[in-house]
Amino acid sequence: MRVDVRALGACNRLAERGAERAADALADLTGTDLAVEVTGASVASGEDLAEAFAGRESIGVSVGLDGGLDGEAVLAFDSQQADALLSLLPGGASMGRSAVTEVGNIALGGFLDGWANYLGQAIDMTPPRYFEADGAAVLPDGALAGDGVFLFESRLDATTTDLDFSIYMLPDSGPFRDLVVGKTATAATPGAEGAAEGTGDAGSTVVPYESLSTFASLAKRGSTNAADNIGMMTGLDTTVEVSRLRFVPLADVPAEVGVEPHAGTVFELQGEPSGYLAILFEEESAAAVAASMLPTEPDDPLGDMAENALCELGNVMTSGFIDGWANVLGTSIAHSPPEFVHDIGSATISPIVAELGRRQDYGFVIDAAIQTEGVQAQCDVYALPDERELAAALSRLSET
Amino acid sequence: MSHPSSAGGRDASGSARRVAVGVGDLAVVDGDAALTTSGLGSCVAVALVDPTTGARGLLHAMLPSADDSQSSRPSARPAKYVDSGVDALIDELGAAGASPNRLEARLVGGAEMLDLTAAVGPRNVERAERALADAGIPIVARDVGDGVGRTVRYRPNGELAVRAADGFERTL
């Protein structure tokens, strides 16, 4: 079984459109504006997902799928937001569970309409089932089993209230694999930008399906190395937690970073694969992590001393990540010296997106959290490898 | 993605609709709507207005030209590139009742954010200048280059407010 890496992009585009329909359906129901913030496709192992969802409590509605797609779809939100959700609904809190179930039904119906339209085939939904779940139990059945699953995640944001939802869809991988391979190899639906990518020189990005789970393990492997390196450099007990690797359209990466000021470092990667890696912190996190590495509190939280500290941190993190990848892929990858950035988040990453955008349309985002001796700092690692070189390395890996 | 996406929010003045333009995207409005685009780094924003009808359009393009693309397929997204994006913006403004002969342009962005990447910012600016010259559209104001990110708001009165990452704001 071989899959085009870019086929994930086509699926991502579909998930995005489905999420927009879900947002419209919910907006009609609640009278609240809802916007689709981010849609990502991930290939993740059950173990990674279990870790990523640890400690979360969710309320969700699930439906089984049959027809054009087999599998399960779930609409979930944080249990702490239950009241906010209920207050938006006709009937309010008194409706409780049945109102949530209705929301799920309507949103998931909208979501799946998008897919059914594209597939030209109806998708049947089983009646919605309400549930409360701890941790990864919120995910569709089967997400935690096996070595690698496709998971689509969309986040909807209510513009007037603090409320966001996630939609997860786990298609049964057998039929879905056929869909990915079959549909994207031939389809060129008007407007389906992603779908058209399977044509042309698709051969160069085709990898064995099994390699995708290898790829998913790359993020995790890299983060362990990065944490070890930081620990060795600073002498501080450090953990880097990576939830998972997400696959997002390059043009959406700047929006993903957002317009808040960010500081961090950018590296060019040379080898197989080549590409770029950016480690970006929100200003507060950047200052906290830099201060934790400096002997005395700097006068300027993000001045020259902090810049040096963040560059050093970037250096060891990046070499940790790419050593991990090179080990998994059996290749050698080198990185440039760090370039410090401190500006509007999306602006800092735009030149990289432009550079890679000349030859590809998708990139990968690794969500990571760094913790050094009590200092908690969130960062995002944007790994933007050349997709053809990555596919080639993954392909070679499966042959040995 | 060539259709405007309404952010649903209100303008700072509390009166106007705001239409957010994403990366590789464009939108055309008339009336009291404001057009915004955020986080311009090396990308370039081209703002066009027909002062007579008030029709305005904003393009946020990432790369100079589709001809430079190493991708083997034509992009389904003209606004990704400066050259095809300017053409598409002029066409959409024409469809909205603007006259190509009356259009005037404002140009923002094209910063050199990183030494690591080839100087795509200046090339975006240069390509935008050429595309506008080819179309016979004068550039009446610009805020381009340097190494700073920018956020743009195209107001209903035709003014283009540009805010830099350091908080400095100017009106073009």
Side-chain angles (χ1 to χ4, degrees):
Chain A
M1 176 64 63
R2 297 174 78 78
V3 184
D4 190 329
V5 171
R6 283 182 290 175
L8 277 174
C11 297
N12 194 82
R13 192 60 78 185
L14 279 181
E16 192 171 63
R17 275 197 245 150
E20 278 161 12
R21 290 200 176 210
D24 290 346
L26 274 178
D28 285 347
L29 180 73
T30 62
T32 303
D33 279 331
L34 282 165
V36 179
E37 279 213 317
V38 175
T39 298
S42 25
V43 184
S45 72
E47 196 188 334
D48 291 347
L49 286 172
E51 271 185 32
F53 282 85
R56 293 197 210 173
E57 281 180 38
S58 313
I59 293 176
V61 177
S62 98
V63 295
L65 313 178
D66 193 22
L69 278 178
D70 288 331
E72 191 186 352
V74 169
L75 174 113
F77 55 94
D78 197 286
S79 58
Q80 291 170 348
Q81 291 189 332
D83 290 344
L85 173 71
L86 289 173
S87 71
L88 292 176
L89 298 175
S94 61
M95 297 296 286
R97 184 177 286 214
S98 63
V100 174
T101 308
E102 185 53 18
V103 166
N105 201 22
I106 289 173
L108 290 170
F111 181 73
L112 292 166
D113 277 353
W115 288 76
N117 266 0
Y118 172 73
L119 298 170
Q121 224 181 333
I123 301 173
D124 298 324
M125 281 164 59
T126 60
R129 182 176 65 84
Y130 172 92
F131 66 93
E132 294 168 11
D134 289 341
V138 64
L139 295 172
D141 283 345
L144 300 182
D147 332 312
V149 293
F150 290 104
L151 190 75
F152 300 96
E153 189 175 2
S154 293
R155 202 168 75 228
L156 309 184
D157 182 52
T159 47
T160 52
T161 28
D162 186 18
L163 182 68
D164 49 37
F165 302 83
S166 296
I167 293 176
Y168 305 102
M169 183 170 73
L170 180 72
D172 276 354
S173 56
F176 187 69
R177 285 186 220 185
D178 295 346
L179 178 73
V180 169
V181 175
K183 190 83 184 175
T184 54
T186 52
T189 307
E193 184 181 327
E197 285 157 26
T199 57
D201 62 346
S204 59
T205 53
V206 169
V207 299
Y209 177 78
E210 293 72 20
S211 297
L212 287 175
S213 58
T214 307
F215 184 44
S217 72
L218 290 178
K220 201 176 162 62
R221 193 76 74 93
S223 69
T224 312
N225 284 350
D228 289 350
N229 284 359
I230 298 170
M232 278 189 277
M233 180 180 84
T234 61
L236 301 174
D237 187 24
T238 302
T239 55
V240 176
E241 278 180 30
V242 161
S243 38
R244 63 194 177 282
L245 195 70
R246 284 177 300 129
F247 190 72
V248 295
L250 269 182
D252 288 354
V253 170
E256 172 100 15
V257 184
V259 295
E260 292 301 313
H262 280 65
T265 42
V266 180
F267 297 84
E268 185 176 4
L269 309 181
Q270 296 114 9
E272 294 172 75
S274 64
Y276 295 92
L277 190 137
I279 302 171
L280 297 178
F281 298 83
E282 290 199 9
E283 278 182 333
E284 202 175 315
S285 274
V289 81
S292 77
M293 295 171 63
L294 294 169
T296 55
E297 185 90 4
D299 295 337
D300 179 355
L302 285 173
D304 288 349
M305 284 172 68
E307 176 176 333
N308 287 338
L310 287 170
C311 281
E312 266 318 296
L313 181 74
N315 255 331
V316 295
M317 281 182 73
T318 301
S319 67
F321 271 106
I322 66 175
D323 287 352
W325 301 346
N327 278 344
V328 170
L329 294 171
T331 61
S332 73
I333 311 172
H335 66 85
S336 70
E339 183 163 351
F340 181 74
V341 290
H342 182 196
D343 205 302
I344 299 171
S346 51
T348 61
I349 206 149
S350 61
I352 305 177
V353 166
E355 183 69 28
L356 281 175
R358 297 164 63 201
R359 48 183 190 271
Q360 67 192 58
D361 288 309
Y362 293 90
F364 307 90
V365 182
I366 301 169
D367 303 311
I370 298 183
Q371 185 158 3
T372 52
E373 305 242 326
V375 176
Q376 182 97 39
Q378 292 289 331
C379 73
D380 287 308
V381 179
Y382 296 89
L384 301 170
D386 182 294
E387 65 183 12
R388 288 175 182 78
E389 291 170 8
L390 179 66
L394 285 168
S395 255
R396 277 199 306 276
L397 185 65
S398 69
E399 287 160 9
T400 54
Chain B
M1 293 260 282
S2 62
H3 301 288
S5 53
S6 170
R10 291 261 144 191
D11 191 19
S13 63
S15 61
R17 195 163 59 93
R18 182 172 68 90
V19 176
V21 179
V23 179
D25 205 354
L26 63 84
V28 168
V29 297
D30 50 20
D32 67 352
L35 285 161
T36 64
T37 197
S38 304
L40 273 174
S42 58
C43 296
V44 71
V46 179
L48 296 182
V49 62
D50 177 341
T52 305
T53 66
R56 283 165 296 124
L58 188 65
L59 163 74
H60 182 155
M62 196 160 84
L63 285 163
S65 170
D67 298 340
D68 297 342
S69 171
Q70 294 165 14
S71 179
S72 57
R73 66 191 174 79
S75 177
R77 197 166 178 167
K80 179 174 172 181
Y81 302 100
V82 175
D83 54 359
S84 51
V86 167
D87 289 347
L89 187 62
I90 294 170
D91 287 349
E92 289 215 13
L93 277 163
S99 162
N101 302 326
R102 289 194 297 259
L103 291 176
E104 50 186 50
R106 289 170 173 79
L107 207 56
V108 180
E112 290 188 81
M113 304 297 296
L114 289 173
D115 295 331
L116 286 175
T117 51
V120 66
R123 285 191 289 122
N124 279 335
V125 172
E126 189 268 329
R127 194 69 190 80
E129 287 167 343
R130 187 141 49 98
L132 290 166
D134 289 349
I137 299 173
I139 300 173
V140 296
R142 67 177 73 212
D143 180 16
V144 298
D146 295 331
V148 64
R150 296 168 170 97
T151 291
V152 164
R153 173 180 290 265
Y154 204 7
R155 297 190 179 123
N157 63 5
E159 285 178 357
L160 195 69
V162 183
R163 190 163 48 81
D166 56 14
F168 184 75
E169 188 162 334
R170 71 176 74 183
T171 303
L172 301 181

